[in-house]
C-alpha cells in the first residue's frame, strides 16, 4: 500500500527550531519532496531528497532515511511568516515518477 | 509572468451542471497534472499528462475529462457536477519526472463550490 504520515499540527515560538517528521510506505521510491502551503495559496517547493542524508537550504533542511521510510523537515530561526502547512510528498517509481503521493500536511503555528 | 495559471479562481455552480477549468504553463515543461485538495487539505493526484498523453488516471470518475491540446495546456472538464466535487483543484507542471529533482509548480487553484 501507499501511505504517508505526518503530524496534523505543531506549534512553535518565533526564533526557535522545529522539526516536522514524515514516515512513508510506498510501492516504489523515486524521491521525497517537501512543499510549503500558506492558507488559500498554492503549494510551493521547499526541498528534495533522493539519497540518504541531510540537504540544507538556508533556514530549511531536510533529512532522508530510505531504509526507515523516514524524513524530516527542519526549520530554524522561525519567523511568523513560516506559519503554514508543510506537505511531505513521495514520488512513486513504479509509475515512472508520474505519480507523487502527498501526505495530509502538518499545520505549523508560529507564535510570538 | 505567471508560470502556471489556471482560470477561473472561483467557481460556484449548481448540481448537475457541466463546467471547465483551464490551465496553462509557460515553463516549457512536458508534464502537467491535476490535483484535488479537499476540505481536510489532503492533496490528491487525479491525472498526469506527458507530452499531451495521459499517463496516470487515479481512479477518477469518468465525469472528469482532462484534455491537453498542446504541451502547455491541460484543461479539466467536469460533467454532471455533484456536491462531493466541491474542493480546490490545482493544476501543476514539472519537467519529465523520470530522474532528479523535478519539483512541481502549482497554479493558484480553482475553488469549486457545488450547491
Amino acid at each position: 500500500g501507499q501511505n504517508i504520515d505526518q503530524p496534523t499540527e505543531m506549534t512553535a515560538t518565533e526564533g526557535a527550531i522545529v522539526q516536522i517528521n514524515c514516515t512513508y510506505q510506498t510501492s516504489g521510491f523515486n524521491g521525497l519532496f517537501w512543499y510549503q502551503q500558506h492558507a488559500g495559496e498554492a503549494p510551493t517547493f521547499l526541498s528534495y531528497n533522493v539519497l540518504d542524508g541531510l540537504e540544507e537550504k538556508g533556514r530549511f533542511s531536510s533529512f532522508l532515511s530510505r531504509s526507515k521510510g523516514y524524513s524530516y523537515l527542519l526549520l530554524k530561526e522561525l519567523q511568523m511568516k513560516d506559519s503554514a502547512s508543510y506537505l511531505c510528498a513521495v514520488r512513486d517509481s513504479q509509475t515512472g515518477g508520474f505519480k507523487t503521493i502527498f501526505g495530509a500536511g502538518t499545520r505549523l503555528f508560529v507564535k510570538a | 509572468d505567471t508560470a502556471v495559471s489556471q482560470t477561473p479562481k472561483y467557481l460556484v455552480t449548481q448540481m448537475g451542471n457541466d463546467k471547465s477549468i483551464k490551465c496553462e504553463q509557460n515553463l516549457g515543461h512536458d508534464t502537467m497534472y491535476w490535483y484535488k485538495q479537499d476540505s481536510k487539505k489532503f492533496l490528491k493526484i487525479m491525472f498526469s499528462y506527458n507530452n499531451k498523453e495521459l499517463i496516470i488516471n487515479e481512479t477518477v470518475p469518468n465525469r472528469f475529462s482532462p484534455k491537453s491540446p498542446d504541451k502547455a495546456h491541460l484543461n479539466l472538464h467536469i460533467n454532471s457536477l455533484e456536491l462531493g466535487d466541491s474542493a480546490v483543484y490545482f493544476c501543476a507542471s514539472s519537467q519529465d519526472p523520470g530522474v532528479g529533482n523535478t519539483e512541481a509548480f502549482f497554479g493558484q487553484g480553482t475553488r469549486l463550490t457545488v450547491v
Side-chain angles (χ1 to χ4, degrees), chain A residues 2-89:
Chain A
Q2 298 169 330
N3 194 46
I4 297 178
D5 287 317
Q6 46 182 133
T8 305
E9 287 185 359
M10 299 182 71
T11 300
T13 305
E14 195 175 14
I17 298 172
V18 71
Q19 177 175 313
I20 303 174
N21 295 324
C22 170
T23 56
Y24 64 88
Q25 291 175 311
T26 56
S27 48
F29 178 84
N30 190 2
L32 186 143
F33 299 82
W34 284 95
Y35 287 85
Q36 180 190 60
Q37 186 177 24
H38 284 101
E41 297 183 7
T44 55
F45 170 78
L46 286 178
S47 69
Y48 169 75
N49 296 71
V50 67
L51 300 177
D52 291 351
L54 189 68
E55 293 285 338
E56 296 187 80
K57 208 174 176 182
R59 295 191 299 116
F60 296 81
S61 304
S62 57
F63 172 83
L64 175 67
S65 168
R66 288 171 296 170
S67 62
K68 295 182 179 177
Y70 168 70
S71 172
Y72 67 73
L73 180 70
L74 195 71
L75 293 79
K76 303 175 186 175
E77 301 169 16
L78 278 172
Q79 302 174 9
M80 299 298 286
K81 67 178 183 179
D82 297 329
S83 292
S85 286
Y86 292 86
L87 311 177
C88 174

Side-chain angles (χ1 to χ4, degrees), chain A residues 2 30 33 35 37 40-45 47-48 57 85 87 91 95-105 107, chain B residues 31 33 35 37 40-43 45 48-50 55-56 58 90 96-104 106-108 111:
Chain A
Q2 298 169 330
N30 190 2
F33 299 82
Y35 287 85
Q37 186 177 24
E41 297 183 7
T44 55
F45 170 78
S47 69
Y48 169 75
K57 208 174 176 182
S85 286
L87 311 177
R91 190 167 61 195
T95 58
F98 286 98
K99 179 177 171 182
T100 298
I101 303 151
F102 281 79
R107 289 186 68 188
Chain B
T31 307
Y33 313 85
Y35 285 88
Q37 189 167 45
K40 295 182 180 178
K41 307 303 179 188
F42 189 39
L43 193 65
I45 189 158
S48 293
Y49 268 72
N50 185 253
I55 306 295
I56 297 287
E58 195 61 8
F90 285 101
D96 190 316
V99 179
N101 176 8
T102 54
E103 63 186 270
F106 286 82
Q108 77 272 30
R111 183 174 293 278

Side-chain angles (χ1 to χ4, degrees), chain B residues 7-25:
Chain B
T7 55
K9 189 169 182 181
Y10 299 98
L11 189 51
V12 181
T13 188
Q14 291 187 326
M15 279 175 55
N17 283 351
D18 304 338
K19 290 293 178 186
S20 293
I21 307 172
K22 294 186 176 181
C23 179
E24 176 182 3
Q25 54 96 3

